Amino acid sequence: MIKSRNKWVPYLFLLPGVLLFLAIGIYSVGFSIMLSFYNWSGIDFSTARFEGLANFRQFLLGDDPIVTRNFYNAVLHNLVIAVSQVVVVVPIALVLAFVLQNTKAASWYRTIYFLPMIASGVAIFYVWKGLFEPTGAFNSLFLWLGLDFLAVPGGMLGSSSTSLLGIILTSIWGGLPGTLILYYAGLTSIDPTLYEAASVDGAKKSTMIMKITWPLLKPITLIAVIQMVNGAFQAFENVFIMTGGGPAGSSEVIGTLVYRTAFLNNDYGLASAIGWVSFLITGVIAIFSIRSFQADI
Amino acid sequence: MVKLIKHVVLVLYGLTCLYPFVWMIGTSLKTSQDALANPQSPFPQAAPAWSTFGEVWNKLNFYQFFVNSVIVSAVVIVGVILIYTMMAFSFAKFIYRGKKFIYYMFIALLLVPGVTTLIPLYINMTNLGLQNTYVGMILPMINGAAPFAIFLFTSYFRTISHELYESAVLDGCDNFKIYYRIYLPLALPAIGTIAILNFIGSWNNILWPMIIVDSRDMFTLPMGLMYLDSSSFKKWNELMAGALITVIPILVAFPFMQKMYVKGMTVGSVKM
């Protein structure tokens, strides 16, 4: 790193990005913080009324019982999606990466495993919606297996007891490949001489896994977990397309709640307040992501 | 034996990855009656009905949606790469006041859930008269890509030997020349990764376009799909034909993307 002779040069390189950030990022963040203290139904801001903490009390402390219930349910659902994803994806991804490691056709398998990761989007969420239909693949599979009690008559997404499960299954399907490929890349980049040295010292295979492989994969696990939790708390598209948060709010997440409050109920102040509280929740998680993004500059 | 079990496990997982795509393709080839009668089957029972694609393409003006999606994604990719490689060059190469503050301010953008700033963003863009415009769709997407792009480019630039910079200066190169003649070409792997990530992200983005666009001429492909879905009674064959049209560009770019994506993910996270 150097000190430029012309001291404006480094700033010139920053200019386009910073201008965009000021015009879009800073303005939006500032205005939405302000909005969270107002009652406003949109269009003309002169109709907005300052209300202090009323919005926050409304959904946090039960001033409006329905909104409060919706909010805590949504947070809970985000949490359930995050935890279930981590708990299911990490072990499966690890095992699959191990199995894949010494396989001849690894590149073929990898190509296939890669598909869900890149193609996941609105189109694929519609496919899942179709598979979850009452007469769709899941119900047919359960009936064929004789597991009739699992075949929900309205389809997995149509019942309030299973709709979240449908969302979770889709998230796992979409999230597993990324973690698997990370672990695979990690495993193949471990120096084989480490294992050789250990076996010369008479280490057992299980010892090697615990003492060499797992510690070296730790940073990958951390990153994978952070990505999954962050992703789960920012979930929107999958829920919006597949269930719209229903039935009866059974799959509502923060994203869909804010969207509905703002753009369907036109309660912009309340929506902003909910958004910022969810920001504080994700903030705790995201502090970890910042640390993993710490480049030494 | 162990080998066999291995492959059984790998194939089984492969099938779960593939199945939704098989069902999508199969259903798109069904006739309306077939789709209604055999929704669970991944294969058409009758002769494939290729005509559905043409109908969907014409009826919904999918061509226009396709063009819109291409324009938005292409400009987002170019913008992200240009703007954030410049910033990264500045972060990686120079010492100056306020650098750390600006760097972390951008990385902190990561913290803010997109949905929180959606409302002011919408008001902001509407006030600027950018509703139903490409610019209105594109600028926030570029800004949203900032944290990861800056992080990745900065780390990548820092691995480029400083001697290259010094010898270029001795040859009389100014900083802008050094940036685009030396650093930009050398950062191609990182550029590829960011390009792919943002292609997938902007191609699949629905939340922002849905809010800033209400004219059908400006719809992107995923919005076209939602429009297909909005009819009172669902035609799965048409919906899946539309879905396939939406996914095909991603599948076409697939072999190239796979290579770059893995490379980039490893640059970012596997530090061994």
Side-chain angles (χ1 to χ4, degrees):
Chain A
M1 265 186 281
I2 48 157
K3 250 195 164 93
S4 173
R5 256 177 302 164
N6 180 341
K7 71 174 183 173
W8 292 111
V9 165
Y11 296 106
L12 277 178
F13 278 99
L14 296 183
L15 199 64
V18 169
L19 282 181
L20 189 66
F21 186 63
L22 288 176
I24 292 178
I26 292 288
Y27 171 88
S28 303
V29 169
F31 192 51
S32 80
I33 291 176
M34 192 183 82
L35 260 185
S36 64
F37 299 103
Y38 279 80
N39 182 321
W40 187 41
S41 57
I43 307 171
D44 182 4
F45 196 70
S46 63
T47 61
R49 227 174 39 245
F50 182 76
E51 285 199 320
L53 294 171
N55 287 326
F56 294 91
R57 296 223 315 268
Q58 207 179 333
F59 72 92
L60 280 178
L61 301 176
D63 278 13
D64 183 335
I66 296 172
V67 181
T68 309
R69 203 194 55 214
N70 287 347
F71 172 73
Y72 285 110
N73 269 338
V75 174
L76 182 71
H77 294 157
N78 280 106
L79 209 66
V80 171
I81 295 172
V83 171
S84 57
Q85 217 187 334
V86 170
V87 170
V88 177
V89 165
V90 169
I92 297 181
L94 253 176
V95 169
L96 284 171
F98 266 113
V99 176
L100 192 60
Q101 196 191 1
N102 299 310
T103 312
K104 264 200 178 142
S107 70
W108 279 96
Y109 287 117
R110 246 177 35 207
T111 305
I112 292 166
Y113 298 167
F114 208 73
L115 262 173
M117 194 155 95
I118 57 153
S120 206
V122 171
I124 296 302
F125 296 137
Y126 273 118
V127 175
W128 278 93
K129 200 176 171 182
L131 297 177
F132 284 130
E133 282 281 283
T135 49
F138 273 89
N139 271 359
S140 309
L141 178 71
F142 292 144
L143 291 175
W144 184 70
L145 289 171
L147 301 168
D148 296 24
F149 64 98
L150 282 174
V152 186
M156 205 180 277
L157 300 176
S159 158
S160 54
S161 54
T162 52
S163 62
L164 194 61
L165 183 64
I167 303 282
I168 290 170
L169 284 178
T170 314
S171 311
I172 290 172
W173 180 84
L176 187 50
T179 311
L180 163 60
I181 284 165
L182 270 180
Y183 276 132
Y184 179 78
L187 280 177
T188 47
S189 69
I190 293 175
D191 187 352
T193 55
L194 284 175
Y195 294 115
E196 281 161 28
S199 73
V200 168
D201 290 345
K204 274 186 292 191
K205 195 141 196 206
S206 56
T207 326
M208 287 196 240
I209 290 176
M210 289 313 293
K211 292 271 157 78
I212 300 172
T213 319
W214 179 242
L216 283 173
L217 291 179
K218 247 188 181 162
I220 294 178
T221 307
L222 181 71
I223 289 195
V225 168
I226 288 166
Q227 278 179 356
M228 277 184 264
V229 175
N230 258 335
F233 270 90
Q234 310 231 359
F236 174 81
E237 284 175 16
N238 50 353
V239 179
F240 187 74
I241 299 291
M242 295 198 314
T243 67
S250 57
S251 59
E252 187 94 280
V253 291
I254 298 168
T256 51
L257 182 66
V258 172
Y259 177 84
R260 214 154 39 82
T261 311
F263 294 100
L264 302 179
N265 300 349
N266 291 324
D267 198 339
Y268 291 96
L270 179 63
S272 299
I274 295 175
W276 282 104
V277 169
S278 76
F279 164 74
L280 291 180
I281 299 171
T282 42
V284 180
I285 303 153
I287 284 168
F288 287 103
S289 15
I290 284 212
R291 286 183 52 184
S292 70
F293 273 75
Q294 237 158 22
D296 172 32
I297 75 165
Chain B
M1 192 60 200
V2 177
K3 225 175 167 182
L4 186 71
I5 296 171
K6 250 177 153 178
H7 281 282
V8 169
V9 170
L10 293 173
V11 166
L12 274 180
Y13 177 59
L15 288 177
T16 56
C17 287
L18 280 179
Y19 187 82
F21 295 96
V22 174
W23 187 82
M24 171 171 65
I25 295 166
T27 304
S28 70
L29 292 173
K30 289 176 186 172
T31 59
S32 317
Q33 298 97 308
D34 190 5
L36 206 63
N38 303 299
Q40 81 292 346
S41 159
F43 305 108
Q45 310 286 308
W50 297 99
S51 55
T52 317
F53 290 98
E55 282 160 27
V56 169
W57 184 264
N58 292 325
K59 192 167 90 183
L60 269 175
N61 205 2
F62 251 65
Y63 172 72
Q64 184 64 45
F65 302 164
F66 187 84
V67 170
N68 291 340
S69 273
V70 169
I71 291 173
V72 169
S73 295
V75 180
V76 167
I77 293 170
V78 172
V80 165
I81 289 169
L82 268 184
I83 294 175
Y84 300 124
T85 49
M86 278 174 71
M87 291 191 81
F89 181 71
S90 172
F91 286 136
K93 224 54 251 178
F94 303 108
I95 301 168
Y96 51 92
R97 280 174 68 100
K99 182 169 89 164
K100 272 201 164 158
F101 174 76
I102 300 173
Y103 179 82
Y104 282 116
M105 195 175 67
F106 272 89
I107 300 295
L109 250 185
L110 257 186
L111 292 171
V112 184
V115 78
T116 308
T117 53
L118 215 54
I119 302 147
L121 197 58
Y122 166 72
I123 296 162
N124 189 359
M125 288 295 161
T126 319
N127 285 343
L128 291 170
L130 295 176
Q131 214 171 2
N132 286 318
T133 63
Y134 291 126
V135 178
M137 275 197 268
I138 288 165
L139 289 184
M141 288 194 205
I142 294 180
N143 187 56
F148 191 63
I150 290 176
F151 164 74
L152 196 69
F153 288 141
T154 308
S155 335
Y156 204 88
F157 281 161
R158 288 174 54 80
T159 64
I160 296 171
S161 153
H162 186 62
E163 276 137 40
L164 260 178
Y165 179 92
E166 276 172 350
S167 57
V169 171
L170 284 179
D171 288 346
C173 257
D174 63 47
N175 279 307
F176 281 96
K177 248 191 195 144
I178 294 174
Y179 156 74
Y180 74 76
R181 285 269 174 82
I182 299 175
Y183 278 74
L184 219 48
L186 281 177
L188 273 179
I191 289 175
T193 305
I194 292 296
I196 287 153
L197 277 177
N198 283 288
F199 169 58
I200 298 169
S202 54
W203 191 266
N204 286 327
N205 195 340
I206 185 75
L207 183 54
W208 178 242
M210 203 164 72
I211 284 163
I212 198 68
V213 165
D214 53 24
S215 142
R216 254 180 75 182
D217 295 339
M218 293 303 292
F219 272 20
T220 55
L221 280 174
M223 299 173 80
L225 270 184
M226 289 182 51
Y227 194 83
L228 263 181
D229 180 42
S230 63
S231 62
S232 53
F233 128 93
K234 204 158 290 161
K235 291 177 176 155
W236 282 103
N237 58 329
E238 288 189 1
L239 196 51
M240 285 305 112
L244 194 55
I245 294 171
T246 308
V247 172
I248 277 176
I250 294 182
L251 296 184
V252 169
F254 182 74
F256 168 74
M257 295 211 280
Q258 188 194 7
K259 232 169 148 185
M260 290 304 237
Y261 197 102
V262 175
K263 228 182 211 161
M265 300 241 301
T266 350
V267 168
S269 53
V270 185
K271 300 164 197 154
M272 295 190 160

